[in-house]
Structure formats: structure tokens, C-alpha cells
Amino acid sequence: MTNYTPHELYINGRWVPASTGETFEVFNPADGELVACVADASSQDADTAVDAAFNALSIWSKLTAKQRGFFLKSAGDALISRTDELARLLTMENGKPLAEARGEIAYAAEFLFWFAEEGKRVYGEIIPSSVPNKWRMVQYQPIGVAAAITPWNFPIAMITRKIAPALAAGCTVVLKPAEQTPLSAFALCRIFHELNIPDGVLNCIPSSKPANIAEALLGNPLVRKITFTGSTEVGKQLFARCADQVKRISLELGGNAPFIVFPDADLEQAVDGVISSKFRCSGQTCICANRLLLHFDIAEEFIVRLTEKVKKLRIGNGLEAGVHIGPLIDRYGCTKVDMLVQDAVSHGARCVCGGKPVQNSDTLKGYFYNPTIIVDVTPDMAIWRHEIFGPVLPVVTFETEEQAVHYANDTIAGLAGYVYTQNLCRIYRMTEALQYGIIGINDPVPSTPECPFGGIKQSGIGREGGRHGIKEYLDAKYISIGI
Ligand code: SIN
């Protein structure tokens, strides 16, 4: 347990129990130990939080961008100064290695810093009129109450990526963090609370029944914006339900990232790149390499070099020094990954390393999966089509650039894609041809607060980060003045 376990919901500037008095438990995925008991928000709590957020709009939206930015910047500073304790908390609820958790705290703070400034640049427009007696302009205003539904894989950074632009724009927020990882969310709210952010501007209502909370938020006309990161399946349901009240929605959904290596790549750099991309957060990121596409000429050598390094990755409790691979988030996640691997093997694929969950022992009691490289994969296998969300890398070889593009784009997902090559003309051709919202060329981790993050096709709608990110929380108001 830590000081950052308030157990209670954060509504209207107060820490309160759930209206039902119910709680749920949070477990450490590395050892199954109980980490905390948390108030279990009900639909009624969701409505109370929305009312609070709605009432707070009159104060928050009237502050200047500079004043709002002060809260964001100060919260970012507080995150940085408490990195050690927050990173431990994050590792305890999510399982990722401490070094990654520390990186996530810094990443989370960067969204706060970026949007603290970007809020000041919400410029309107004056549009030259087509008639002589009218003056035309556009003003941007906060949408209103934004509901943020956030995932467990980045328990704090995916929150700041949403709430920083929302708050900077002048919106107020009801946050429903993932039930697996509510503690980092509470820690962040505590920081804003200590900064005396006005009551109701930020509310936090975790729940063990996320569908009920989502339903309450969707049905409440005071909520004008839904922002969600999570599965494509749930995203589609939210999207459909937003139609009823024509709510604005941003969706950051599943990926199926190709990681393409051409013979003209720096192979060592590419091996290290695919390891950073694939094994970050034990392969549980939406943008991680999901399919490795190797040119036939370098495939054998590449797999030898990659396997050598992957075998050295240390699996363990993220709190221990030197651990590279933490557990998967829960039993379901581990079973799903293993089913995809076994299905591929039963259809003729072969594991070069890994290929099964880690046997539980006195030191490893959680949902660990052995880092796996799987060859002889064909594009008709389930593992090629589904987001794996685990430390498993299926490999396919190709002979021509056209074939690589065809394989890469042969998916309903369109979040991130990666290319390794030193050929400038190929870089331009691949950038043009790949159907993805984010392209990393010789760059395995392109995410950054100042650039737009988001997918095309069924990977989502809208963008987070950069100047694009704040637009998601603003309405354009066109004004025509007869003069
Ligand atoms: C994600 O998994 O969607 C987030 C990854 C990132 O921000 O780099």
C-alpha cells in the first residue's frame, strides 16, 4: 500500500465513497498480491460527477488560457518531482518495469507541459468576406464536459494525453480510468487537488463495471465529448452510441503494426528498433510491432541476431532491477496471447524462441509470457490479423517492395507502421504507400506530445497530441457581422 491510495472517488473536489458503498480490489499482475481497495463508482456517481463538471464549466472556461496553463504546468512539475514514488505505484498496478514506469511519468508530464502552452495558441480566424458589407470570423470555444475513458497499458500518460488538451481548451473532465490501474489516476487527481484546481474541473470515477459507467456517460446530455483509448470492439460500440446525442468522439483503438526491414537497412539498428517497439510494456501497446516483415535476403541473419538478443531479455517483477519484461495485465491477456501462438503453431508456424507462458515459480507468480519469435507465419493465420498485445513477434518474408506494402496494408487497422531502410527514395515511396496514421522510419517509438497520434481505417478517429490534439476539445463558432 502507498500514500497514494485514497480508496475514494474524486468528485467535485472531494474524496468520497461510492454511492453504493461498494469497493473493488486492485492486484499486482506480477505476483497476484492485493495492492489496494478502491471505491466502485456507480451510474449515480457518474451522474454526480457529470453535474459537478458541468457546474465547474462556468468558472474554468472563463479563466484565461494562461491561468489554466498554470495548473497544467504545475501538475507536470509535481509529477516530475514525485517520479520515484509514482513510478513504483504504476509498476505495482500495471507490472511494467520500473525504468519504463519512470519513462511514462516523464511522458505524462510532457503532455501537461505541452498543452499548458498550446492552450495559449487557440487563435480565432478572420475570413475575408465575399461581400462588401459583412465581417466574418471564427472563434474557438471549449466543447463542454469531456468524458475520458482510459486504458491500463499507460495508466498515467494516456490520461494526461486526454485531460491536458481538454483542460487547456477550457473543458471540464470526468475521468473513468481502467479498473486494473486506478491508482495512478488517483495520484494525478491528488496532485491537481493539492494545486487547488477549482472543484468539479476534474473528477475521477473508476468502476469494476465499466460498461455501466460508459452507459451513464453516453446517456447524459451534459457530456458533450467522449474520448476513449482501448479495444476496437468497445470503440465501435461507443461510436454508435454517441450518435444518439451527436456527441463528439475521439477514438484511439487497436493497431496491427507492420515492422518492415529492407536489405538496405542498418540491420543492427533495425534489430534494436524492433526490440524497443515490440517489447515495450511487454508488447501491450497499440503501436507496437505486431508483424515483422523481413526481406528474404536478410531474413535468416536478422532472425539469428534478433533471437540472440531476445533470449537475453530478463523476465520478472518490474520492481526488481534489470528486468526488461514484466507480466501481462491479467489471466485473460495471457490466455489470449497463448491461443494466438498455439493456433499459429497448429497451422504450421514455428517458434524460434518462447512460445508459452512462463511456468509459475516462487519468484514468478504472475501472468508472464516468454518473449516469442514465430516464423513460417502466413497472412491467413489469426496471429497475423489480430492485435497480439503480448511479447510475441510473428515473422513473414517478402521479395519486393510492392509485396511488403501489400502485406503491410492488408489489415483493417491503420494506427502505426514502421520501415527500416537507408534509401531516401524508398522512404518517400513507403511513406506515401503505407495506410497508417503514424509512420516510424528508422524510428521504433515515434510517440511524442507535440505530434498528432492516432489511426486511420478502424484504428480510430481524431488525434491526440500537438496542435491537432486540442482541436478535439474545441467547437468552431462562425460569426458573421453586418457592418
Ligand atoms: C498506446 O499504446 O496506444 C500508446 C503508446 C504511445 O503513446 O506510445
Side-chain angles (χ1 to χ4, degrees), residues 44-372:
Q44 190 187 326
D45 295 317
D47 285 340
T48 311
V50 172
D51 283 343
F54 184 74
N55 292 334
L57 272 174
S58 56
I59 295 177
W60 187 250
S61 64
K62 299 279 182 308
L63 294 185
T64 63
K66 187 174 173 187
Q67 288 168 319
R68 291 193 292 261
F70 169 78
F71 285 99
L72 297 178
K73 161 83 170 64
S74 307
D77 288 339
L79 277 187
I80 297 293
S81 69
R82 299 180 196 181
T83 296
D84 286 344
E85 52 188 310
L86 293 175
R88 280 188 74 77
L89 183 69
L90 200 158
T91 292
M92 278 164 62
E93 62 176 351
N94 166 281
K96 69 177 65 177
L98 212 42
E100 281 190 36
R102 293 174 66 86
E104 184 179 338
I105 303 296
Y107 185 38
E110 285 300 324
F111 285 106
L112 294 164
F113 295 144
W114 170 267
F115 284 107
E117 295 305 316
E118 193 58 14
K120 298 171 190 166
R121 293 188 277 268
V122 177
Y123 304 132
E125 294 159 58
I126 293 182
I127 299 174
S129 173
S130 53
V131 290
N133 57 344
K134 292 198 181 185
W135 181 268
R136 264 123 189 205
M137 55 192 178
V138 176
Q139 184 188 1
Y140 289 93
Q141 291 187 317
I143 289 180
V145 175
I149 305 178
T150 57
W152 48 260
N153 60 347
F154 289 84
I156 197 157
M158 294 305 102
I159 294 177
T160 56
R161 187 153 84 181
K162 293 180 189 307
I163 73 166
L167 296 177
C171 293
T172 54
V173 174
V174 176
L175 166 65
K176 204 238 28 98
E179 60 274 24
Q180 296 90 339
T181 57
L183 306 180
S184 300
F186 280 140
L188 182 65
C189 290
R190 183 149 295 234
I191 283 173
F192 276 106
H193 184 69
E194 286 166 5
L195 290 169
N196 290 323
I197 194 162
D199 293 348
V201 170
L202 175 61
N203 305 273
C204 183
I205 50 165
S207 171
S208 68
K209 300 173 198 80
N212 292 359
I213 300 297
E215 201 45 48
L217 296 170
L218 287 160
N220 192 323
L222 298 180
V223 175
R224 290 310 311 146
K225 162 89 190 186
I226 300 279
T227 171
F228 170 75
T229 295
S231 74
T232 305
E233 188 194 342
V234 172
K236 285 180 183 178
Q237 291 167 14
L238 297 176
F239 193 19
R241 284 285 282 109
C242 277
D244 283 352
Q245 295 174 1
V246 196
K247 290 189 200 298
R248 292 267 296 274
I249 185 162
S250 303
L251 298 169
E252 201 271 89
L253 308 178
N256 184 0
F259 193 105
I260 308 169
V261 185
F262 286 100
D264 50 26
D266 175 331
L267 289 198
E268 206 49 31
Q269 193 191 38
V271 167
D272 290 342
V274 76
I275 289 175
S276 319
S277 171
K278 175 76 256 185
F279 298 105
R280 177 175 172 230
C281 196
S282 302
Q284 302 171 110
T285 78
C286 305
I287 60 164
C288 71
N290 206 57
R291 300 171 291 155
L292 178 59
L293 276 65
L294 296 177
H295 190 274
F296 185 78
D297 290 350
I298 46 110
E300 208 176 311
E301 183 190 345
F302 194 91
I303 290 166
V304 169
R305 287 205 213 179
L306 179 64
T307 311
E308 208 171 286
K309 288 199 171 179
V310 168
K311 280 185 173 164
K312 289 189 184 138
L313 296 175
R314 199 175 141 220
I315 305 168
N317 185 323
L319 291 177
E320 285 166 24
V323 163
H324 304 107
I325 307 273
L328 298 181
I329 191 70
D330 54 24
R331 185 183 307 281
Y332 169 75
C334 201
T335 308
K336 193 195 112 185
V337 169
D338 197 42
M339 276 168 60
L340 287 172
V341 171
Q342 301 322 324
D343 175 78
V345 170
S346 73
H347 286 89
R350 185 167 52 87
C351 293
V352 179
C353 60
K356 53 180 187 299
V358 173
Q359 201 74 40
N360 272 4
S361 66
D362 286 351
T363 44
L364 290 177
K365 292 191 207 128
Y367 310 107
F368 294 92
Y369 203 88
N370 284 297
T372 300

